[in-house]
Amino acid sequence: MRILVLGGDGYLGWPTALYLSAHGHDVGVVDNYVRRQYDHELGVQSLVPIVTLHERVRTWREHTGRDIAVYGGDLCDADFAYETFRDFAPDAVVHFAEQRAAPYSMIDRKHAVYTQTNNVVGTLNVMFAIGEINRDIHLVKLGTMGEYGTPNIDIEEGWLEVTHKGRTDRVLYPKRPGSFYHLSKVHDSHNIEFGCRIWGLRATDLNQGVVYGQETEQTSLDPRLSTRFDYDSVFGTVLNRFAIQAVLGRPLSVYGNGTQTRGLIEIRDTVECIRLACENPADAGEFRVFNQMTESFSLGEIAKTIQNTAPRPVEIEYVDNPRVELENHYYNVTHTALTDLGLRPHLLSDTLLTSLYRIIEQHKDRVDVRALEPSVNWRSTASAPTPVHKTA
Ligand code: NAD
Ligand code: USQ
């Protein structure tokens, strides 16, 4: 298949592009490199050094003889989106290209507006490009488990059958997201479902849980193929952050009492889920939703697992929760669609954590410990996280 990976320079987009290429697909990547700019804005850097997208692609060619087409540009620019789709003529488009950090979207008005504009407008441009150029293109869109929030009923895969006053209907699962970022994904989901209904688009919305891990078989072939690894309090995700804190011997920062439960997935399963979704497309007019997570844990459980496997003794610190989120809550998620398609999950294991600690140990001198401290408060409308380089 010809598969265009939007956001192909990012943490997940790059390993996905390599994985799809390794599986024989013709891959193109699209990115405006804005993720690298957020690092400059926040004064932080990926724990693992990353080379430019062009050097990554050259390295992949050196190792495999396979080409990956690169399109540099912003999906909020409709002309760019249309030209790219016309030029590459994809069978499937995998859409990772959004501002994806909840804390970044909660910094202040400017960052909330930027996040929602970037994500919602970019996705609308993608939908219109598909609508005008070729409606058979399968849109595989990254959503998030956080769209659902933590309702007091089971979480189904995108849809809910409701019986009300004796009548029954199938409705989009009601959403209660916890940040302006997570809200942007809800807006996207509604827009895409509408596109499926009115234009007959075929779409798969992958409501992915929190991702952890850093290596795939392909990225570990050469250091120049590494993907980014974020540890700062704005972009670093929880398990990756705890692993880094553990290697540094710093307390594991559990927000609140640690009873919040989240769905998680390892990076090698992310790339496999995308392959499965692409190779088994949705029908014309179908808005298909998969819950892309493999296990759920409370934050306290994650912290204890890290504490028990850490290379050196670490404490767990329960810090005031900078976010507004339910702590003691019900959480039971249906996530069978991807395993039905053939996913064999990599569950959280000592082997995986040991390899994660090895990667972190190798690069730990790059950590700026000031960037580990939570700096964005949900209760404030102007958090202004201090860019680390300005306080130095
Ligand atoms: P990332 O920030 O590392 O990658 C996103 C990429 O998209 C970046 O390279 C960025 O430069 C690019 N991009 C952003 N806006 C763009 C635009 N307007 N035009 C072109 N390129 C643009 O994020 P990630 O961690 O790889 O996440 C990828 C996707 O998966 C996101 O949509 C995110 O919401 C979703 N997701 C991520 C996680 C996770 O734990 N990382 C979990 C669930 C869902
Ligand atoms: N948390 C801590 N300590 C930390 C960091 C986070 O206790 O040091 C807690 C948070 O309060 C939250 C949970 O861990 O309850 C998850 O936080 P996170 O930063 O790992 O994840 P989140 O903000 O939800 O966002 C990440 C990705 C996002 C993706 C989402 C999947 O950045 O792109 O959409 O995971 S999900 O959570 O399922 O919505």
Side-chain angles (χ1 to χ4, degrees):
M1 294 172 71
R2 294 182 64 73
I3 306 181
L4 197 55
V5 178
L6 315 180
D9 190 42
Y11 169 52
L12 302 176
W14 174 242
T16 301
L18 296 187
Y19 189 74
L20 294 172
S21 175
H23 278 80
H25 298 296
D26 288 328
V27 176
V29 290
V30 177
D31 211 291
N32 65 349
Y33 314 110
V34 70
R35 179 66 193 86
R36 294 174 188 250
Q37 285 170 34
Y38 308 144
D39 278 350
H40 293 302
E41 177 191 353
L42 299 170
V44 295
Q45 60 181 357
S46 161
L47 177 80
V48 175
I50 50 170
V51 299
T52 63
L53 182 55
H54 287 280
E55 193 174 346
R56 288 172 152 181
V57 166
R58 270 197 302 276
T59 308
W60 181 243
R61 194 181 309 121
E62 267 168 46
H63 280 273
T64 64
R66 295 190 66 79
D67 268 321
I68 292 180
V70 174
Y71 297 88
D74 189 340
L75 291 164
C76 290
D77 171 353
D79 292 340
F80 166 76
Y82 282 44
E83 278 160 28
T84 302
F85 281 43
R86 280 209 179 88
D87 187 71
F88 189 77
D91 301 304
V93 169
V94 181
H95 183 12
F96 287 103
E98 298 203 328
Q99 190 302 96
R100 70 102 174 128
Y104 190 87
S105 75
M106 298 300 290
I107 293 174
D108 58 12
R109 184 201 62 80
K110 194 173 115 192
H111 289 80
V113 171
Y114 163 74
T115 299
Q116 293 213 350
T117 308
N118 184 62
N119 296 0
V120 175
V121 173
T123 298
L124 279 169
N125 286 346
V126 167
M127 285 171 53
F128 272 85
I130 294 175
E132 289 188 24
I133 294 164
N134 175 5
R135 293 184 185 186
D136 268 341
I137 297 172
H138 176 207
L139 173 60
V140 177
K141 166 68 168 51
L142 270 291
T144 178
M145 283 304 298
E147 289 181 42
Y148 301 113
T150 49
N152 201 32
I153 55 173
D154 286 3
I155 296 176
E156 304 301 333
E157 301 206 64
W159 294 89
L160 186 67
E161 200 177 279
V162 176
T163 301
H164 180 64
K165 295 184 180 168
R167 300 184 68 81
T168 299
D169 205 351
R170 182 174 176 259
V171 296
L172 280 181
Y173 194 97
K175 307 285 177 73
R176 201 185 292 154
S179 74
F180 286 116
Y181 152 70
H182 287 96
L183 269 157
S184 73
K185 296 282 191 185
V186 176
H187 305 326
D188 285 343
S189 296
H190 283 101
N191 285 343
I192 297 169
E193 189 273 337
F194 184 60
C196 293
R197 247 185 307 136
I198 59 166
W199 300 328
L201 300 187
R202 46 178 92 227
T204 303
D205 202 5
L206 296 171
N207 284 340
Q208 182 167 244
V210 183
V211 182
Y212 63 91
Q214 196 265 339
E215 269 183 353
T216 63
E217 191 186 333
Q218 293 73 37
T219 63
S220 56
L221 279 176
D222 188 306
R224 292 170 297 165
L225 295 175
S226 294
T227 195
R228 54 178 311 120
F229 195 29
D230 300 306
Y231 66 90
D232 60 282
S233 64
V234 177
F235 275 91
T237 48
V238 67
L239 192 146
N240 286 349
R241 272 169 60 74
F242 287 174
I244 290 166
Q245 289 166 334
V247 171
L248 296 174
R250 297 180 68 85
L252 312 183
S253 57
V254 172
Y255 295 166
N257 69 13
T259 53
Q260 310 92 304
T261 301
R262 294 290 179 269
L264 272 80
I265 181 167
E266 209 239 338
I267 192 165
R268 287 174 297 175
D269 290 339
T270 293
V271 300
E272 170 66 354
C273 288
I274 304 290
R275 181 185 75 78
L276 290 169
C278 290
E279 292 180 3
N280 299 278
D283 292 334
E286 184 187 11
F287 177 70
R288 183 174 71 165
V289 184
F290 296 162
N291 291 339
Q292 185 165 311
M293 52 164 282
T294 56
E295 291 177 279
S296 37
F297 298 103
S298 72
L299 302 178
E301 286 169 335
I302 300 173
K304 288 214 171 67
T305 305
I306 301 282
Q307 187 179 44
N308 293 337
T309 52
R312 51 185 59 82
V314 282
E315 285 174 13
I316 298 176
E317 187 179 19
Y318 294 87
V319 302
D320 284 345
N321 198 336
R323 305 187 182 197
V324 177
E325 56 187 6
L326 284 185
E327 291 182 0
N328 301 299
H329 61 84
Y330 179 76
Y331 199 70
N332 190 30
V333 181
T334 303
H335 52 98
T336 49
L338 283 157
T339 37
D340 288 350
L341 284 181
L343 175 70
R344 297 286 163 264
H346 294 86
L347 301 181
L348 183 59
S349 67
D350 291 3
T351 326
L352 177 273
L353 287 172
T354 309
S355 77
L356 204 53
Y357 298 141
R358 172 188 48 77
I359 297 165
I360 298 166
E361 194 72 51
Q362 217 183 325
H363 300 288
K364 67 177 186 207
D365 294 343
R366 287 167 59 87
V367 174
D368 184 331
V369 293
R370 291 167 300 181
L372 287 167
E373 299 303 320
S375 55
V376 181
N377 193 311
W378 261 229
R379 293 162 187 84
S380 161
T381 50
S383 284
T386 322
V388 170
H389 57 281
K390 283 200 183 148
T391 56

